[in-house]
Amino acid sequence: MIHDVQAKLDGLERHWECVVIGGGPAGAIAAICSAKAGLKTLLIERHALGKHKVCGACLNHRALRVLTSLGLHDAVRRLEGQSTHSFWLKGFGGELERRVPEGFAVSRSRLDRLLVTTAIEAGASVIDRVTATVEAPASSAADAQPNGTRGVRLNSVRQQNEIRIQAKAIVVADGLGHPSLKSTEFEERIAESSHVGIGAVVIDGRDSMPWVRPHTIHMAAASGGYAGLVLVEGGDVNLAAAVDPTFLRACGSPEKAFSALLGEAGFPSLPASTMSLGHRRQWRGTPSLSRSINRVASERVFVVGDASGYVEPFTGEGMAWAMHGGALVTRSVKIAVSGDLETAEADWAQDWRRQIYQSQRTCRRLAWLLRHPTVAKFGVSIAARFPGLTGRLIDQFDVELSA
């Protein structure tokens, strides 16, 4: 397998109009749109394509609109996930149930395979199990890249025989911490109060967790963080949580932390049959979640998705921001390929702020509220007693995400 990757690297073309780094939803959609725009496009993914992931199972209504605009509505439905239209919150001594705009829950491995396959069908070239490093911008005219490009270094996972390619535009969508941009002009800030992410999938979880409702996003809010559960295809249950690192260490393991959040919020704890590591699920974690970046465009590089900064999401908004950004960035990429870098970079900075950053406002407020138990308890009790107020909040949330 390693030799296959190396052979692909050795045979790879060296000059591209658009190079996309990261094969998740943001990167794959950027590659789809770039290829459809007629640009010579390469999509690079560090892991094996279709790798199992526990985050991002929920596609909200805005994410579905992006997929529909790409002609993928029917293909997504054929992934055999489950529609979602209800939200059930328990925590801080209260409980809240609301109807929400229809979404869809499906495992990331299925979704990512569909999007990468669509990119290939659109004309993009794809290479996986390869790391990418964007080179620092030229410091002088003598160091300038040929033909108006910027360099990217590629290595197989075992870093054999590095090769170097050139791109007129680079879309970075490689997730938290944007590892491909180390030692460049891009810098990030991690919030001191940031939670970390944990998640897993319980295979056939509907059998061992019969209280998990179909078509419902469940949320448990507690002093140590908050946890979400949703049914996906085949009766599996996707688990994801944002937890305080101190709380996680005190619990001793991700599964114990997740179970503690459920119990404190008032949901049943994880059943004993799911509490031992084994083939039934695989727990994974993330680094600190809450991050910001000093810029989203510079010297032919355009940053999208989680790499452009992360706000702890509420019911699948992170996926919507990633998908919308992947589609939106193509206009700036085309301008950069044409040679007008100043306009391309200014346009993406403006588009990102107006259509991504501004739509994150509600999640920032909710994340703040969930970190302050006294305020959160008051908010949940008010929302439960006055459902009309909650409805107006959801309506406002819908407006912001539809901008």
Side-chain angles (χ1 to χ4, degrees):
M1 184 176 293
I2 296 297
H3 296 300
D4 292 342
V5 175
Q6 197 61 50
K8 289 181 180 179
L9 271 179
D10 292 340
L12 195 66
E13 293 188 48
R14 298 306 199 254
H15 296 275
W16 299 86
E17 290 180 305
C18 179
V19 166
V20 181
I21 302 173
I29 288 177
I32 291 169
C33 295
S34 175
K36 284 186 174 183
L39 301 180
K40 184 181 176 183
T41 301
L42 173 66
L43 174 63
I44 302 164
E45 167 57 33
R46 177 185 180 90
H47 301 289
L49 294 174
K51 177 181 172 67
H52 172 70
K53 298 177 182 177
V54 297
C55 61
C58 290
L59 305 177
N60 68 10
H61 58 293
R62 188 189 189 191
L64 291 179
R65 284 202 299 271
V66 175
L67 294 170
T68 297
S69 73
L70 297 173
L72 292 173
H73 178 274
D74 293 342
V76 170
R77 296 292 178 177
R78 287 194 294 270
L79 296 177
E80 301 178 345
Q82 183 168 131
S83 62
T84 57
H85 49 66
S86 296
F87 177 66
W88 183 17
L89 167 69
K90 296 184 76 170
F92 303 111
E95 183 172 356
L96 173 67
E97 296 183 56
R98 292 294 303 179
R99 189 171 184 87
V100 295
E102 184 175 1
F104 194 70
V106 65
S107 63
R108 277 287 304 278
S109 57
R110 291 193 177 197
L111 177 65
D112 288 2
R113 279 196 296 268
L114 169 64
L115 295 178
V116 171
T117 298
T118 303
I120 294 171
E121 292 172 349
S125 297
V126 175
I127 187 167
D128 65 344
R129 292 165 289 163
V130 166
T131 63
T133 304
V134 178
E135 294 182 344
S139 58
S140 66
D143 296 329
Q145 304 291 345
N147 303 319
T149 61
R150 187 159 176 174
V152 181
R153 299 193 305 276
L154 305 182
N155 279 289
S156 64
V157 174
R158 293 189 178 180
Q159 297 189 340
Q160 299 172 321
N161 194 22
E162 177 181 276
I163 73 163
R164 186 168 177 270
I165 62 175
Q166 307 290 143
K168 291 186 175 180
I170 302 168
V171 176
V172 171
D174 55 353
L176 292 174
H178 44 69
S180 67
L181 291 176
K182 301 302 182 186
S183 302
T184 66
E185 67 270 35
F186 293 87
E187 301 174 358
E188 70 173 354
R189 175 183 176 273
I190 300 175
E192 292 182 3
S193 61
S194 177
H195 286 144
V196 296
I198 57 174
V201 173
V202 180
I203 306 301
D204 298 324
R206 189 73 173 91
D207 296 334
S208 58
M209 305 170 72
W211 58 271
V212 176
R213 300 175 182 175
H215 312 295
T216 301
I217 298 170
H218 308 68
M219 185 171 182
S223 56
Y226 52 98
L229 305 89
V230 67
L231 277 170
V232 291
E233 69 278 356
D236 296 350
V237 179
N238 184 276
L239 315 176
V243 299
D244 182 274
T246 302
F247 172 78
L248 178 60
R249 288 192 294 271
C251 289
S253 68
E255 57 268 32
K256 290 180 180 179
F258 197 99
S259 192
L261 293 177
L262 292 180
E264 182 182 335
F267 284 112
S269 299
L270 290 178
S273 61
T274 68
M275 287 293 287
S276 61
L277 290 175
H279 71 280
R280 292 183 63 81
R281 78 226 187 300
Q282 297 176 331
W283 284 95
R284 287 188 172 84
T286 73
S288 299
L289 293 171
S290 298
R291 298 163 181 255
S292 59
I293 193 171
N294 65 329
R295 65 189 77 193
V296 293
S298 175
E299 298 289 332
R300 302 187 180 274
V301 175
F302 305 89
V303 188
V304 300
D306 294 350
S308 66
Y310 194 89
V311 177
E312 292 173 21
F314 201 54
T315 54
E317 286 68 47
M319 290 288 283
W321 298 325
M323 291 183 174
H324 185 53
L328 186 65
V329 75
T330 304
R331 184 172 75 95
S332 298
V333 167
K334 289 170 63 179
I335 296 172
V337 170
S338 73
D340 189 353
L341 297 187
E342 184 176 351
T343 297
E345 292 161 13
D347 279 4
W348 177 237
Q350 178 175 276
D351 286 346
W352 178 83
R353 176 164 288 276
R354 287 182 176 176
Q355 300 201 44
I356 306 297
Y357 180 83
Q358 291 299 327
S359 75
Q360 295 172 342
R361 289 176 297 182
T362 299
C363 279
R364 290 192 189 93
R365 296 167 190 151
L366 291 170
W368 178 89
L369 183 148
L370 290 169
R371 283 189 175 84
H372 296 78
T374 301
V375 181
K377 183 176 182 179
F378 176 75
V380 171
S381 64
I382 291 295
R385 291 178 59 190
F386 302 99
L389 293 176
T390 312
R392 286 195 289 275
L393 172 63
I394 291 174
D395 290 342
Q396 177 62 29
F397 199 38
D398 188 32
V399 168
E400 289 187 359
L401 290 178
S402 300

